[in-house]
Amino acid sequence: VNAKFRRGAALQGPERVAELQRIPTWSELPDRDAIYKEFRFDDFKHCFAFMIKVAERAEASDHHPEWFNVYNTVKATLATHTDNGVSDKDIELAIHMDDMELQVKAGKVPLFAPDQR
């Protein structure tokens, strides 16, 4: 995280531009101050493994994504509600989500094994 950012403030101006360049696969939403990305995986097990790893980080940092899952797809929106927009917390979580996507797709994250009873 860039130390010059204040916690508790939405990113603005040149600092916002610089931080958004760190997550080029994310899009800014036109109707609100938030960022968005759609993740696709081979199947539900890979998708769910991704969601678990993201949920662990989100819970530890007390910063949770808005997301929607159907089978192998996760649609994620990030914004810091207490800051009224995209903050450094969102950039950090987006970077983590991008990293987890790559790790899951590379087979580096264990998949859950459903009970076969």
Side-chain angles (χ1 to χ4, degrees):
V1 176
N2 191 328
K4 66 183 172 182
F5 293 125
R6 298 170 316 213
R7 287 270 177 199
L11 297 171
Q12 297 180 2
E15 294 160 328
R16 179 186 177 97
V17 171
E19 286 298 288
L20 290 174
Q21 288 175 347
R22 297 175 62 201
I23 51 168
T25 59
W26 288 76
S27 302
E28 292 186 77
L29 291 178
D31 58 340
R32 65 183 272 211
D33 191 2
I35 53 177
Y36 175 85
K37 182 173 179 179
E38 192 168 308
F39 298 88
R40 290 187 188 271
F41 298 90
D42 289 341
D43 53 30
F44 180 74
K45 286 195 300 189
H46 287 84
C47 187
F48 196 68
F50 166 78
M51 292 180 74
I52 289 170
K53 297 307 278 184
V54 172
E56 291 170 348
R57 170 65 69 88
E59 190 63 17
S61 65
D62 194 30
H63 187 63
H64 304 88
E66 297 173 29
W67 56 9
F68 178 76
N69 162 246
V70 174
Y71 185 61
N72 69 333
T73 303
V74 175
K75 297 177 180 181
T77 301
L78 301 179
T80 304
H81 303 288
T82 56
D83 298 340
N84 297 313
V86 176
S87 75
D88 58 327
K89 295 176 191 176
D90 302 303
I91 303 300
E92 292 170 17
L93 187 54
I95 290 169
H96 176 71
M97 292 174 79
D98 287 346
D99 183 48
M100 287 301 100
E101 176 187 26
L102 295 175
Q103 288 192 37
V104 167
K105 289 180 176 180
K108 296 180 180 179
V109 173
L111 304 180
F112 77 101
D115 189 350
Q116 299 297 321
R117 290 186 237 187

